[in-house]
Amino acid sequence: MFKTTLAGLLAHKLRLLLTSLAITLGVGFIAGTFVLTDTIDAGFNRAFADDAATVDVVVLPTEGDLSRETLARVRAVTGVRDAQPMVRGDAPLIGKDGRTAGDHPTMGVSIPASRLKVTGGHGPETDGQAVLEKNIARTEGFQPGDTISVLDHRGARHDFRLVGTFDVGLDADLARLGAVAFTPADALRMTGEKGFREIAVVSAGPSPESLRTAVEAALGSDAPKSTTIVQTGQRRAADLAEKNGVSMTFMKVGLLLFGVIALLVAGLVIYNTFNILVAQRIREMALLRCIGATRRQVFVSIVLESAVVGLISAVLGLLVGYGLGAGAVAVLQGVEADLPTGSVSLTSQTIVIGLVTGLVVTMAAALLPARHATRVAPIAALRTQVEEQTFRTGVTRMIFAALFTVAGAALTALGVTMEPGESALFTVMGGGVLVFFAVLILGPVIVKPLSGLAGWLPARLFGVPGRLALANARRNPGRAATTTVALTIGVTLITFMSVLTATVRLTTSKELDRQFPIDYLVSAQAGTVPGSVVDALRGRSELADVTDVREAETTVNGREFGVGAVTQSAFGVSIKPEAASGSMDGFGPGKVAMNDSVAEDLGLKVGDTVTIASPKGDLRLQLSAVLKSGVTLLPPITIPEQTFVQRFDTVTQRIVLVDAAEGVHPDLARRALEKVTAAHPAIKIDSTTAMRGQFDEAIDMMLMIVIGLLGLAVVISLLGIANTLSLSVHERTRESALLRALGLTRAQLRGMLSVEALVLGLVGAIVGVVLGIAYGWAATQTMADRVYFQLPVGQILIFVVLSGLAGVLAALLPARRAARTSIVGSLVAS
């Protein structure tokens, strides 16, 4: 039987290739994920090791910063050759347009020379010199030799000579914000920091462990209430690498989720393929039974065939995965992503996971077809034609389908009616999985009417070939269902994401319009917007409503929170907060409002008394409204404007909401804002239109990434359609020859198979679209109390059309093969 199985595989090489292709892609995606993440992880570990090699001992604070006294005591330890402090704080860089660079202040740092990775020029050697992080230098157009301007912690402008550029390495915050590196003295002066974040120590001879012990003793770091932690450079690198490993795990799990979806689709394709193969080889297996093969041997032969296919697929998948991982690494290096990369390689772990996954999925998918093969009676060898199995719905199928449907619908309804949040979303998703199982079970039942719906128009447009194609699509509901369900998974998930993102986009836009019907947002990148700017804005004729939103840090019921106020006249005009409980009507002295998340955190409800500390004595106010958080620019806790002015002298944050005057062109209003704020380079001016545009870009980017990753599942499902048609063409060789003999031309035969694939693709798309819309809507209901549902009709129609066209493309090779087959040879073939 072993020799017979291998001979059968070698005799049908094309069939073997098509069967293994789906698993190859699924395994390839998973292997590629491991190759990519392992490569990045190795790069991080190597970079940590390189960084650790430049430092023997590191001193860190348990809280706060390290003092100058601590630095002096470290430098005085015997065996210390050098000890350099690290400073970090805000130091906004002014771009060539006169405004601070980026959306957030750049970081001012002092990095020990041994750890500063200079990429051009040299590091800062004297006060008045600075180096820029390489990416922000490129973005802003600065080069060594230029003069750059930086704002200090008081907002004063200082000029520095740019002497080089540097790479921030593994520091994610510096990579995101950008950085300016100074000498330690300049860094302290610019950032306003009182101490150091870290002290890097280089040994004059003693081993790192011996030096660590000496420094620890000098600082008293082994005391129970010590304010410092002393580590060797290697220990510090290991801690950072461990934290990086946690973040890499999230990335790996996210990518593997799409790999699992691809493998699920591939498993369905394999299952369908083996089902067809078993049906085609009934006479062959019956003949084996006639010459003495037992049922067990027939079963083992099918499982063995699946094992060979799975092993070949897994090996090819590993090669594909290596290529995908290497390609992804090359792309990251090409776009200069701030991710270190090691050498691209297939680890033993990746090889084992890939091989086991490919084998298990393929063999599991072949078990049911193998079981069916054991039921072939020896007498079947005497038949001249294989009889097609007649599909019967069956009571068991309907009972299980009903159970899954009821349970899924109940879970979905429960999730939709729950309080919005993660629990509600997970409940809805659980219901969706159960409903999908019900659709899977009912597939052969619903595919027949759906084929009629999807094929109604093609049957009339393409005449006899169209009607024959529709009949072929409906004649074997079980095969059609398992062929289309793979496509259904991909289309369901893509439609779901489209509905979800479209609804989030519309809901956010509506909430912005409803709560903040303003034109511009004026904010300070660092510090606050001065009160003089607010007064100047109110004096401009081009501007109408100017709403001042102020905030100060204090304690509320003993907990630290931001407390603020809004221009009193703005309520109901430029600010329309929505109350979850209570009301903002008559909001004035003696009252306070807070976001629902803050109220929940403090355990407060409307009517409770809230104690707020202020520099001029405690305030005892009554909670009059709990506001829905949603999209809001209000402080977490809002008190009346008059109370805020009387009690708080220092404003820690201030933003200004501005409306253009009636009939004023947006360009004129913008110029008025820029003129008022020209003397304040740290002030940013954003329009609500631009804010929505940035939000839309972020959503579109996320949607493109998800659809791109789910596209693999769709590609595998289309391979399934092609595979099914290829095997079906072989199965229907005599039938196709008879049609040709009766007058069907080659073009009409190709057209018939193409229309059949079109119908199968449309059936999968119809079911996927219905499920995707239904659960996209259900998921949106778990996001917030008020949701503006948006159905992206255009995108969904594109998905349906593309699914049909992709089905046609999948049929090209099988149709070409069928049309080239000899009529006479096919008719005389047994």
Side-chain angles (χ1 to χ4, degrees):
M1 290 300 296
F2 179 74
K3 291 179 180 178
T4 302
T5 301
L6 293 182
L9 285 170
L10 294 174
H12 301 90
K13 297 181 182 64
L14 179 61
R15 184 177 73 191
L16 174 64
L17 177 63
L18 289 173
T19 305
S20 65
L21 197 53
I23 290 294
T24 296
L25 291 177
V27 172
F29 191 93
I30 286 184
T33 297
F34 277 102
V35 169
L36 173 63
T37 52
D38 287 347
T39 300
I40 294 175
D41 203 33
F44 271 110
N45 291 333
R46 186 184 63 194
F48 285 129
D50 291 345
D51 195 38
T54 64
V55 178
D56 294 303
V57 173
V58 176
V59 181
L60 302 167
T62 54
E63 59 181 23
D65 290 329
L66 299 169
S67 65
R68 295 174 186 267
E69 179 188 357
T70 301
L71 176 61
R73 290 168 65 186
V74 171
R75 285 175 170 170
V77 173
T78 302
V80 170
R81 188 180 73 190
D82 190 20
Q84 291 294 327
M86 177 181 287
V87 180
R88 179 180 298 201
D90 289 347
L93 171 71
I94 299 177
K96 291 188 175 181
D97 61 354
R99 298 278 176 180
T100 49
D103 294 327
H104 302 281
T106 50
M107 298 292 288
V109 297
S110 171
I111 301 176
S114 62
R115 301 171 69 180
L116 185 66
K117 300 178 177 68
V118 176
T119 58
H122 59 84
E125 297 170 346
T126 62
D127 291 348
Q129 294 183 346
V131 292
L132 273 180
E133 187 270 324
K134 63 178 183 179
N135 290 326
I136 198 167
R138 183 178 64 250
T139 302
E140 296 297 324
F142 289 118
Q143 295 180 348
D146 292 344
T147 297
I148 61 171
S149 297
V150 185
L151 300 180
D152 66 16
H153 62 103
R154 295 189 181 89
R157 182 170 180 157
H158 300 263
D159 291 337
F160 290 86
R161 182 73 171 173
L162 183 64
V163 296
T165 57
F166 73 104
D167 185 352
V168 297
L170 306 171
D171 196 314
D173 287 338
L174 295 188
R176 178 174 56 88
L177 299 172
V180 190
F182 310 97
T183 60
D186 276 346
L188 290 172
R189 179 168 58 91
M190 294 298 295
T191 62
E193 297 291 318
K194 303 302 181 183
F196 312 115
R197 296 290 182 91
E198 181 181 315
I199 297 174
V201 183
V202 178
S203 173
S207 68
E209 186 57 41
S210 299
L211 187 60
R212 185 199 68 79
T213 303
V215 171
E216 191 173 66
L219 298 178
S221 299
D222 56 347
K225 295 185 178 179
S226 173
T227 59
T228 59
I229 298 173
V230 183
Q231 295 180 323
T232 63
Q234 292 295 337
R235 178 67 263 172
R236 177 63 174 160
D239 288 348
L240 292 174
E242 185 177 349
K243 291 180 181 178
N244 167 67
V246 173
S247 62
M248 287 299 296
T249 298
F250 284 113
M251 175 183 174
K252 186 179 296 186
V253 169
L255 288 173
L256 286 177
L257 177 62
F258 293 98
V260 169
I261 293 171
L263 274 177
L264 174 62
V265 174
L268 289 169
V269 171
I270 292 292
Y271 166 75
N272 199 39
T273 300
F274 274 96
N275 251 342
I276 298 172
L277 290 175
V278 167
Q280 288 178 352
R281 294 157 58 190
I282 285 178
R283 291 187 66 200
E284 175 187 326
M285 288 181 289
L287 185 59
L288 289 173
R289 291 291 309 282
C290 284
I291 61 176
T294 64
R295 289 188 173 186
R296 182 181 178 182
Q297 285 178 313
V298 170
F299 178 85
V300 170
S301 70
I302 300 295
V303 174
L304 177 61
E305 184 173 339
S306 71
V308 173
V309 170
L311 183 60
I312 293 173
S313 304
V315 172
L316 292 175
L318 289 172
L319 296 176
V320 170
Y322 180 83
L324 289 173
V329 170
V331 169
L332 290 175
Q333 292 172 342
V335 299
E336 297 185 3
D338 291 309
L339 289 171
T341 53
S343 58
V344 181
S345 62
L346 278 174
T347 64
S348 56
Q349 178 194 27
T350 303
I351 293 172
V352 171
I353 290 174
L355 292 176
V356 170
T357 302
L359 275 173
V360 169
V361 172
T362 308
M363 293 177 69
L367 287 179
L368 277 178
R371 183 169 174 268
H372 292 157
T374 63
R375 298 177 180 176
V376 177
I379 193 68
L382 301 177
R383 297 172 186 162
T384 57
Q385 185 172 340
V386 175
E387 293 181 3
E388 287 193 7
Q389 295 179 351
T390 303
F391 172 75
R392 295 182 179 85
T393 302
V395 176
T396 304
R397 180 187 297 271
M398 297 308 296
I399 290 174
F400 275 101
L403 288 175
F404 277 113
T405 301
V406 171
L411 265 183
T412 303
L414 176 63
V416 169
T417 55
M418 288 171 64
E419 282 291 319
E422 286 186 3
S423 298
L425 178 61
F426 288 136
T427 303
V428 165
M429 292 300 97
V433 171
L434 293 179
V435 168
F436 183 80
F437 282 139
V439 172
L440 191 63
I441 295 169
L442 283 175
V445 178
I446 63 177
V447 76
K448 202 165 186 176
L450 287 177
S451 296
L453 174 64
W456 180 83
L457 185 60
R460 279 152 182 77
L461 288 177
F462 297 101
V464 173
R467 291 195 294 274
L468 287 171
L470 179 57
N472 285 334
R474 303 179 68 186
R475 68 197 286 185
N476 194 328
R479 177 189 301 174
T482 50
T483 299
T484 58
V485 74
L487 182 61
T488 297
I489 294 174
V491 175
T492 296
L493 294 173
I494 289 174
T495 304
F496 171 83
M497 285 302 304
S498 298
V499 170
L500 192 64
T501 52
T503 300
V504 169
R505 195 196 316 270
L506 180 63
T507 299
T508 303
S509 180
K510 291 282 188 182
E511 285 297 300
L512 281 171
D513 289 341
R514 187 177 61 81
Q515 294 191 36
F516 300 98
I518 57 169
D519 296 323
Y520 299 98
L521 172 68
V522 180
S523 60
Q525 188 193 67
T528 65
V529 177
S532 58
V533 171
V534 180
D535 295 335
L537 291 174
R538 286 180 173 148
R540 300 291 304 197
S541 60
E542 301 94 335
L543 309 176
D545 298 317
V546 177
T547 302
D548 188 8
V549 183
R550 286 158 285 178
E551 187 175 328
E553 293 297 321
T554 186
T555 58
V556 179
N557 284 7
R559 302 270 300 277
E560 291 188 3
F561 281 101
V563 175
V566 177
T567 304
Q568 199 70 25
S569 59
F571 284 112
V573 181
S574 57
I575 292 183
K576 301 175 182 178
E578 182 180 359
S581 60
S583 173
M584 291 296 288
D585 295 339
F587 185 72
K591 296 185 178 181
V592 62
M594 62 179 62
N595 292 342
D596 49 11
S597 58
V598 176
E600 182 180 356
D601 194 19
L602 292 173
L604 298 173
K605 60 183 182 300
V606 172
D608 289 347
T609 299
V610 182
T611 302
I612 301 176
S614 81
K616 299 179 181 179
D618 289 350
L619 285 166
R620 294 180 62 81
L621 306 175
Q622 184 185 44
L623 181 59
S624 61
V626 174
L627 308 177
K628 293 182 179 179
S629 299
V631 181
T632 180
L633 298 175
L634 286 174
I637 299 172
T638 303
I639 62 177
E641 182 183 25
Q642 182 180 359
T643 304
F644 185 88
V645 172
Q646 291 173 348
R647 296 295 188 126
F648 293 94
D649 299 323
T650 303
V651 177
T652 57
Q653 185 175 350
R654 177 185 242 138
I655 60 174
V656 187
L657 313 179
V658 182
D659 269 335
E662 187 72 27
V664 174
H665 193 277
D667 289 344
L668 289 177
R670 179 91 187 194
R671 279 199 288 271
L673 288 167
E674 290 175 346
K675 187 172 183 179
V676 170
T677 60
H680 304 275
I683 290 180
K684 295 288 187 181
I685 302 170
D686 293 308
S687 68
T688 52
T689 301
M691 290 167 62
R692 289 188 184 90
Q694 293 172 357
F695 184 77
D696 286 345
E697 285 179 8
I699 286 185
D700 289 338
M701 180 63 69
M702 181 186 71
L703 183 62
M704 286 174 59
I705 291 172
V706 172
I707 288 180
L709 293 172
L710 290 174
L712 180 65
V714 175
V715 169
I716 294 174
S717 63
L718 294 175
L719 285 172
I721 293 177
N723 204 13
T724 299
L725 284 175
S726 295
L727 296 169
S728 182
V729 164
H730 174 74
E731 182 181 287
R732 287 151 40 189
T733 299
R734 296 188 67 203
E735 177 185 317
S736 299
L738 183 60
L739 289 173
R740 288 287 315 282
L742 291 174
L744 205 68
T745 65
R746 286 186 175 182
Q748 287 177 318
L749 182 60
R750 286 196 297 266
M752 180 188 76
L753 292 172
S754 296
V755 172
E756 184 178 343
L758 170 66
V759 171
L760 291 176
L762 290 177
V763 168
I766 290 170
V767 178
V769 163
V770 171
L771 287 175
I773 291 175
Y775 279 90
W777 173 84
T780 60
Q781 303 309 301
T782 67
M783 296 189 308
D785 291 327
R786 178 187 281 108
V787 175
Y788 299 89
F789 182 70
Q790 174 78 10
L791 186 64
V793 177
Q795 285 184 359
I796 290 172
L797 288 177
I798 290 174
F799 297 153
V800 174
V801 171
L802 289 178
S803 296
L805 290 177
V808 173
L809 289 175
L812 289 179
L813 285 177
R816 183 169 176 267
R817 181 186 173 197
R820 295 176 62 183
T821 304
S822 167
I823 298 175
V824 176
S826 299
L827 286 174
V828 299
S830 58

